Amino acid sequence: SSGESGSQSEGGEGQGGNSQTSGESQTSESSENQDSNKKFELTKSGVLTNDEEINWDIIQSEVENMYTSIPTITIDLYQLNLNQEDILNFNKEYDNLTIAVKSKNKKESLSALSKVYDFMPKFIKNTSEGEEYKKVLQTKSDIFKAYSKLDTGDWGQIESDMNNAIQTYSQLLSNTNIDESKQYDLSKGYIMLNELQNAAKLKDTEVFLIKYKNLIEELNSI
């Protein structure tokens, strides 16, 4: 009787141990599934799914930190014998950008930023950079001008900026000095430019943003 009782006791402990192990395994699997779901949700992003607020703290910090480089940039620009008025206006527009960002005014910040960026093609124009780089830079400036006007709802002006971008970019397609290996990328960029212009004609902000994002990524790779 004692032996049977002991055997039964050991069996009970064994069963209990197996039950506990099975429970731990199920808990582990459940935890892994939850982690997997969390990872999926974290990587889901896009123009239509991104509803995050503007992080003005980061933007203000980056704009402020740029001032440590402005004096050096100004000296470098003067040494390139560039138009002095353009250099002075660049510094002035950057101050306007800082004021707009400080006020957390999205519309004014985008407008000021597009004016600052518009100096890039001017500064590069008389340098030894290749014609391809100069045209792409001017194209991006015109595209950004269009993008900066989205909140104004001035679709007529947005279309005008896109027309300027297409006219500038189309000069690359007729340039025989461009490396043949880049012709495909240039043609693809031209198609995407026209697609963005079509989005402007539709007057749909979300469609424009999707195509804008893809186009800028393509131009950055050229």
Side-chain angles (χ1 to χ4, degrees), residues 24-25 35 51 87 114 141 143 165 169 195 198:
E24 290 176 349
S25 176
D35 290 341
D51 57 356
I87 298 174
S114 69
S141 179
I143 294 171
Y169 191 88
E195 285 296 315
N198 290 336

Side-chain angles (χ1 to χ4, degrees), residues 4-136:
E4 291 177 356
S5 175
S7 176
Q8 291 174 354
S9 175
E10 290 176 0
E13 290 177 357
Q15 292 173 357
N18 290 337
S19 176
Q20 183 178 4
T21 302
S22 175
E24 290 176 349
S25 176
Q26 292 176 355
T27 301
S28 176
E29 291 178 0
S30 176
S31 177
E32 290 178 359
N33 290 335
Q34 289 179 358
D35 290 341
S36 177
N37 290 334
K38 289 180 181 178
K39 290 178 183 177
F40 172 77
E41 292 178 358
L42 286 173
T43 57
K44 184 178 68 174
S45 63
V47 172
L48 300 181
T49 58
N50 189 359
D51 57 356
E52 295 181 1
E53 294 293 329
I54 298 175
N55 194 327
W56 287 105
D57 290 338
I58 292 179
I59 296 175
Q60 290 171 344
S61 177
E62 291 182 352
V63 169
E64 182 177 348
N65 290 337
M66 184 68 178
Y67 275 101
T68 60
S69 301
I70 291 292
T72 303
I73 293 173
T74 302
I75 293 175
D76 290 341
L77 292 174
Y78 276 124
Q79 290 178 343
L80 291 172
N81 295 320
L82 301 179
N83 187 300
Q84 294 187 8
E85 185 176 356
D86 284 341
I87 298 174
L88 293 174
N89 286 334
F90 168 77
N91 292 341
K92 177 182 176 181
E93 291 298 341
Y94 196 85
D95 289 340
N96 292 334
L97 170 62
T98 304
I99 294 172
V101 169
K102 182 183 69 173
S103 303
K104 299 181 179 181
N105 188 317
K106 178 184 175 183
K107 186 186 299 184
E108 292 298 325
S109 294
L110 286 174
S111 176
L113 187 58
S114 69
K115 291 177 182 178
V116 170
Y117 192 88
D118 196 36
F119 282 98
M120 295 293 292
K122 295 179 181 179
F123 292 151
I124 295 296
K125 185 176 181 180
N126 296 320
T127 66
S128 59
E129 289 288 347
E131 192 66 19
E132 176 188 335
Y133 179 79
K134 294 177 181 178
K135 294 298 183 184
V136 170

Side-chain angles (χ1 to χ4, degrees), residues 190-202:
Y190 183 74
I191 293 174
M192 296 175 74
L193 264 171
N194 282 275
E195 285 296 315
L196 186 59
Q197 185 186 45
N198 290 336
K201 293 178 180 179
L202 288 174

Side-chain angles (χ1 to χ4, degrees), residues 154-169:
D154 189 352
W155 290 102
Q157 188 58 51
I158 291 173
E159 285 190 51
S160 177
D161 291 331
M162 288 305 307
N163 284 332
N164 292 335
I166 291 175
Q167 290 178 9
T168 298
Y169 191 88

